[in-house]
Amino acid sequence: MLFKDLKIIEPILDALHKEGYTNPTPIQQSAIPPIMAGRDLLGCAQTGTGKTAAFAVPMLQLLAKPHASRPGQRPIRALILTPTRELAIQIQESFSVYGSGLRLRNMVIFGGVNQFAQTQGLERGTDILVATPGRLLDLMSQGYINLKDIEIFVLDEADRMLDMGFVHDVKKVITKLPAKRQTLFFSATMPKEIQGLADAILTNPVKVEVTPVSSTADTIQQVLFHVEKANKKALLQHILADSSIETALVFTRTKHGADKVVKDLLKAGIKAEAIHGNKSQNARQKALGNFKNRTTRVLVATDIAARGIDVDELTHVINYELPNIPETYVHRIGRTGRAGLSGIALSFCEAEELPYLKDIHKLIGKEIPKDMNHPYHIEHSGLHVKGLPPKKPQQGQHGGHNHNRPHRRFTKQRY
């Protein structure tokens, strides 16, 4: 199937063609027709499936139709609510790219920066508003935003909203929306509270589920490194000694941990920057920009950025610390292997993280293959997931760190 088979108007098709898009992904094939038909939609899809274009393209086509507003008015006709600043910015950029041939305005608002530029933009008027919940409610309370003209409402990354404690804010926003509207609801997972919220705000929705929420893309090669906590720093530098790894996105569980990893990498002569909630918005955007243009080789991030970083052709994701929520593992490694491309996900596991690893194995339904040839390997015993076949010990397998094992460099070709 081609995008032109979906009856998309020429200005949007031209923009997609300029970006090199010709074939829609499965979620785009399934979501675009019902959205263009005006239906509510419940989308359940893992990260990296092309979800943003799945709702942005049909929304632009619907909004391109003339609107009966008074001269000089440009009311907000579409609202996209998303949990993080990075994701909000990237969604707004997508609307700008896909709608470059249309006479529609879009803008993004988020917290952590001075509101002046955002209020100025709102006063000039916008058709499409991408927002994070806190700043949206703040500017609504100040009288800068009125949602009475909303035709299309998108709630993106709903489960992430729950994880970050935004569900109450989301419910506040929903009470300010007109009852007659089209609603699009996207979530990678469907816990009970999120399912209940979907049931409350959707009317006879079309359900689109591309892949199981617990699955990892087949295009991502996963590798596990058992290592002592004290040796993680050395193992990361050992892996990054492979010059074929041009860029790597490294995840830690804490902000302090991210800063420490960056400090250690800089000491080792590896260009790295951190991105997390304690950084100013300008610092976060600068770090992300440097990573995208490959000025910075390694970007170290906390989980707040797990779904908000979209880097073309990112080949390597490294879990320096395993997440304590198994679904987060899927979201993290989904930063690579996007839209059918291949990727490599490397995960470090120390003894205290074994329960996290067990939960991850249970969620994804398989055990991550181990690399036992790296110079810092240790053997953890007694780890097995109920319901999965036990692995036979490999010949020569033993516990402890083998100081006589030859130092083998990590190469892209091996994985």
Side-chain angles (χ1 to χ4, degrees):
M1 178 181 282
L2 303 174
F3 273 108
K4 64 181 181 181
D5 298 325
L6 296 174
K7 299 180 181 178
I8 297 169
I9 57 177
E10 284 300 323
I12 300 176
L13 279 179
D14 289 343
L16 291 170
H17 180 71
K18 287 177 183 177
E19 291 298 303
Y21 302 155
T22 54
N23 302 100
T25 64
I27 193 171
Q28 291 161 4
Q29 292 180 35
S30 301
I32 289 175
I35 294 175
M36 288 203 297
R39 296 285 303 277
D40 282 10
L41 184 133
L42 175 59
C44 192
Q46 69 186 76
T47 185
T49 54
K51 173 166 51 73
T52 300
F55 64 78
V57 166
M59 284 176 66
L60 286 165
Q61 182 146 326
L62 291 171
L63 296 168
K65 298 173 183 177
H67 178 69
S69 59
R70 293 192 298 272
Q73 266 196 335
R74 192 182 282 266
I76 302 170
R77 299 170 58 197
L79 171 66
I80 299 93
L81 201 58
T82 193
T84 67
R85 293 175 281 190
E86 288 78 18
L87 190 54
I89 290 167
Q90 289 172 16
I91 290 173
Q92 185 264 336
E93 289 174 349
S94 295
F95 271 94
S96 294
V97 169
Y98 307 146
S100 59
L102 303 173
R103 300 181 67 180
L104 291 170
R105 290 183 191 171
N106 67 72
M107 66 171 292
V108 61
I109 61 171
F110 45 81
V113 296
N114 189 288
Q115 71 175 39
F116 180 74
Q118 297 176 6
T119 56
Q120 290 289 97
L122 290 166
E123 288 174 352
R124 287 191 293 270
T126 187
D127 301 284
I128 302 162
L129 180 64
V130 185
T132 54
R135 179 52 61 93
L136 176 64
L137 286 171
D138 187 16
L139 294 182
M140 286 171 63
S141 69
Q142 296 180 53
Y144 287 107
I145 295 174
N146 190 313
L147 303 180
K148 65 182 179 65
D149 293 295
I150 294 294
E151 301 168 28
I152 309 173
F153 170 58
V154 181
L155 183 61
D156 193 27
E157 304 281 7
D159 54 346
R160 186 65 169 161
M161 295 281 196
L162 176 63
D163 292 343
M164 297 177 68
F166 288 147
V167 168
H168 184 62
D169 288 346
V170 170
K171 290 178 179 177
K172 278 186 181 179
V173 172
I174 291 170
T175 64
K176 303 298 182 182
L177 296 170
K180 186 179 179 182
R181 66 175 190 270
Q182 182 179 8
T183 302
L184 313 177
F185 189 107
F186 291 92
S187 187
T189 59
M190 280 291 168
K192 287 182 180 180
E193 187 171 355
I194 293 302
Q195 185 63 61
L197 181 62
D199 293 341
I201 68 174
L202 296 170
T203 303
N204 190 27
V206 174
K207 187 172 182 181
V208 175
E209 187 170 3
V210 177
T211 52
V213 295
S214 62
S215 69
T216 52
D218 292 337
T219 54
I220 302 173
Q221 187 168 2
Q222 301 172 65
V223 184
L224 180 68
F225 298 80
H226 284 300
V227 60
E228 291 180 356
K229 183 176 182 178
N231 288 330
K232 282 188 175 183
K233 176 176 73 172
L235 177 58
L236 180 61
Q237 293 174 17
H238 165 68
I239 288 172
L240 293 174
D242 178 4
S243 60
S244 71
I245 302 176
E246 296 182 8
T247 56
L249 177 58
V250 177
F251 281 107
T252 62
R253 284 194 302 272
T254 67
K255 303 165 189 174
H256 173 73
D259 289 335
K260 188 175 186 307
V261 169
V262 168
K263 185 179 178 181
D264 291 337
L265 289 175
L266 291 175
K267 281 184 179 178
I270 299 170
K271 186 68 183 293
E273 292 184 83
I275 182 169
H276 54 65
N278 279 359
K279 299 285 186 179
S280 70
Q281 182 58 28
N282 288 338
R284 291 166 75 172
Q285 287 309 117
K286 183 179 178 182
L288 186 57
N290 289 340
F291 187 60
K292 286 183 174 182
N293 65 30
R294 305 202 172 190
T295 302
T296 297
R297 185 184 178 203
V298 179
L299 186 65
V300 186
T302 54
D303 288 322
I304 193 170
R307 299 191 206 176
I309 296 176
D310 188 2
V311 180
D312 291 340
E313 299 180 2
L314 174 65
T315 58
H316 289 76
V317 166
I318 301 174
N319 289 306
Y320 188 84
E321 295 172 325
L322 288 181
N324 57 345
I325 300 171
E327 288 83 3
T328 301
Y329 174 81
V330 178
H331 303 320
R332 283 183 180 185
I333 73 170
R335 294 301 96 203
T336 186
R338 296 173 70 81
L341 296 176
S342 61
I344 297 168
L346 311 176
S347 298
F348 299 175
C349 180
E350 61 178 278
E352 291 182 359
E353 294 173 312
L354 287 174
Y356 304 156
L357 179 62
K358 185 175 181 179
D359 289 342
I360 291 167
H361 283 166
K362 185 176 180 180
L363 178 73
I364 66 177
K366 61 183 178 183
E367 294 188 6
I368 304 168
K370 292 187 290 187
D371 180 331
M372 295 186 293
N373 294 315
H374 70 86
Y376 306 100
H377 175 72
I378 59 172
E379 191 61 37
H380 295 306
S381 61
L383 178 67
H384 178 63
V385 182
K386 187 177 180 181
L388 295 180
K391 288 191 173 183
K392 295 180 179 179
Q394 297 184 19
Q395 188 174 4
Q397 183 173 317
H398 54 83
H401 171 52
N402 182 356
H403 295 277
N404 296 319
R405 182 179 287 112
H407 185 93
R408 294 177 60 180
R409 287 188 60 191
F410 177 88
T411 62
K412 191 173 182 180
Q413 289 74 24
R414 284 179 58 206
Y415 301 107

